[in-house]
Amino acid sequence: MKAQILATVATAALLAGCTTAYGEDLDTMATPSADAAAIPSGTGYFAADSTLPFKTPDFSKISEDDYIPAFEQGMAIQKAEIQAIIDNPAPPTMENTIVALEKSGRMLGRVARVFFAVTGSNTTDRLDEINTEISPKLTAHGDSIVLNPELFARVKAVYDNRAAMTMTPEDAALLEDTYDGMVHAGALLTEAQRTRVKEINSELSEITTEFGQQARAAMADQPVIFDSREDLAGLSESDIKAAADLAAEKGFEGKYAIALQNTTQQPLLPNMTNRAAREKLFMASYNRANGTTDIDTRPLVAKTAALRAEKAALFGEADWASYAMWDRMAEKPATALGFMERMVPALANTQRREAAMLNEAIAAEGGDFEVQPWDWYRYANKVKAERYDLDEDAMAEYFQLDTVLEDGVFYAAEKLYGLTFQKRSDLPVYHPDVTTYTVFDRDGSELGLFYFDPFQRESKRGGAWMSNFVDQSDLWGTKPVIYNVLNIPKAPEGEVQLVSFDNVNTLFHEFGHALHGFFADQRYESLSGTAVARDFVEYPSQVNEMWATYPEVLSNYAKHYRTGETIPAEMIEKLEAASQFNQGYDFGEVVEAALLDMKWAALSREEAAAIDTPEEVSQFERQSLEQLGLEIDLVPPRYRTTYFNHIFSSPSGYSAGYYSYLWTEMLDRDSRKWFMDNGGLTRANGDHYRKTVLSTGGTMDYFEMFRNFAGREPDVTPMLEARGLIAGDEAADSEASDGKLPPRTVN
Ligand SMILES: [Zn+2]
């Protein structure tokens, strides 16, 4: 469960607890004397719900000038609403405090949902300016709610009385989330403790910003310099020219310079034929920001670890991870660590097997050396090309965008859940490339609206995502209005719009999020649909990817655009076989980074204090990695401590959270196994998954949710099999995994 309304994040959509200005249609809320007169009313487009079907935004009526006033008014209204809750002379109750808080900020929620949707997918300079201006104000506004002591006193009064109250499970979840969210922000601390937390927050903010700048400088300001063109043998002419230009720009006229990229491995390495040059480039990356040049982020790391551990201790937590993971499924660092450690034996075996295979390839070529990290991808790519000659362009000829969506993604949703879709053309959209569909439920009733925005354009940020224009909520009587945004290169005018298999997969993935939103069946928006924990939210979307290559679905949509012939099975088999190649490295480096993140986050205050000097930082990293038992010198972590931006470049960021990618993959692969064991693509399976997982939002314990679905605890074995780390028949007796997760610590 996750306290969505209390999360003090830059998007006020999360603050949308919501009310249509106080007084309107407060069906359940007989608030004795909330002073309606004191609540200002808004003006402009966002002051009221849209009058379009499903209350979907009317883009024909929204202008850029509407946003700032709507944000300002929305915050002012919510502030007044909060004050009215505080000033209510009646004793605090679920309705007049917790639900009233949930209902507050409706105008703010309305503007934020639209604003952040369009700045993400169709921004302008003006929208970017507004974003810069409004984001800190929204953060401060959120803080002023979660850190309001008078509001907390009322919330706590309700919470402390909860044993005596009769509540639905969803009410109980809302109450607990509201309370926990405020406690997490510091509501239970003493004045002195709160002052110290504020100091720590601002110190962390400075230190982590500096970490980000130094890590960036270690890439941008310190490219690797090569003296001669021979060093770059194997690179393309344009890469060589770029290296010459960069050297000149950095004052090394006549030489060559390669800028480092984020990860430990560097993208140009596989093409470089000069082994000494490969080693030089790799080692510069590997030793980045660790004092081998004048940049050393280790003192910042030591300070960050100490401050985080101190902050956690102020909250009575054993370590930073325990504090940061309060609203996650895994909840305790030991659970996440145990889960990852369980993969280690199989992974270590695979790493050694792959190294042996690459050593053979090197010997076959007449090389007299053993593979090192700087050689790895050069030889892995060669072996891969020999074994699987995947022709991605030839494959894309079977994937026409409209057909993939309607006869693939929608078809699978119909078979599993009984959904049907009708394209419509009457709704205004924010860009002409956006299409809309009404989604009908299994009984033929309207379930929601779906917006589909597939194409790359300059005004859109990278990646793919899903969100809501309108959240499902029984309280407001709203049905979900959901959008999927992708970045598919648009075919030239008049040509058939084909997509890569990667993008096919992304279509199924994003629609998996959409299903999670469409099947939401909650009373409260802050618990509705995808308002779930970070280590859970990617689970339903990953599960939906399984239907992309499911034979019955595939044969319905993957047809050659000219001949109409169905995609040959060998093509898909080859694709799936290739996806298991090189996992000792590809997967291993991610597991190592995730473990390293968790080790840093799981330090007690005393342990953190003992890591003080730069040398001690290096030692701790080395020790932590050595303890794992993986081949860390052949396969180093994807990010080393000194340039692990995800966890050290913002006050919290992905710290104690990098494992989430692996965790949701475990849930996903285990669920795919359940579907396959139970007959695959059937309505019965879909309805069961919908009932137990997709419709439950953030209203219950996630382990319970999973048990309701699968009838058992999640199991890591199917993920290891899918990655090719263990063979299916090995699973039963492999020491690598009895599969079971360690029991979750409850306290
Ligand atoms: Zn996703």
Side-chain angles (χ1 to χ4, degrees), residues 464-465 509-510 513 537-538 541-542:
W465 60 93
H509 177 98
E510 295 308 328
H513 286 305
V537 71
E538 291 299 324
S541 51
Q542 291 188 38

Side-chain angles (χ1 to χ4, degrees), residues 230-286:
E230 285 71 61
D231 290 332
L232 304 193
L235 296 185
S236 69
E237 277 310 309
S238 70
D239 284 337
I240 293 172
K241 182 171 183 312
D245 290 349
L246 182 62
E249 187 192 314
K250 297 286 173 188
F252 296 92
E253 197 73 48
K255 298 191 177 189
Y256 302 86
I258 297 179
L260 295 175
Q261 305 297 311
N262 243 353
T263 50
T264 300
Q265 279 290 342
Q266 296 297 306
L268 293 182
L269 284 170
N271 293 333
M272 293 168 67
T273 55
N274 184 323
R275 188 163 189 251
R278 280 205 303 272
E279 181 175 359
K280 182 176 174 176
L281 178 59
F282 178 86
M283 290 311 288
S285 172
Y286 183 82

Side-chain angles (χ1 to χ4, degrees), residues 574-604:
K574 218 185 259 179
L575 183 84
E576 291 188 330
S579 75
Q580 295 194 341
F581 183 78
N582 203 45
Q583 292 300 302
Y585 204 110
D586 289 349
F587 188 57
E589 66 165 4
V590 174
V591 172
E592 288 167 26
L595 279 155
L596 192 56
D597 163 35
M598 200 48 80
K599 293 274 185 183
W600 276 114
L603 291 170
S604 70

Side-chain angles (χ1 to χ4, degrees), residues 296-317:
D296 192 346
T297 53
R298 291 175 299 174
L300 301 173
V301 168
K303 270 190 225 161
T304 300
L307 286 169
R308 283 175 176 169
E310 185 192 345
K311 182 173 171 182
L314 285 167
F315 282 88
E317 295 289 356

Side-chain angles (χ1 to χ4, degrees), residues 183-184 186-190 193-194 197 200 307-324 326 332 603-605 747:
V183 168
H184 189 75
L188 280 180
L189 301 183
T190 64
Q193 287 171 326
R194 219 173 311 174
V197 167
I200 292 175
L307 286 169
R308 283 175 176 169
E310 185 192 345
K311 182 173 171 182
L314 285 167
F315 282 88
E317 295 289 356
D319 49 59
W320 167 255
S322 304
Y323 171 75
W326 68 289
K332 296 284 167 201
L603 291 170
S604 70
R605 217 182 149 182
N747 56 8

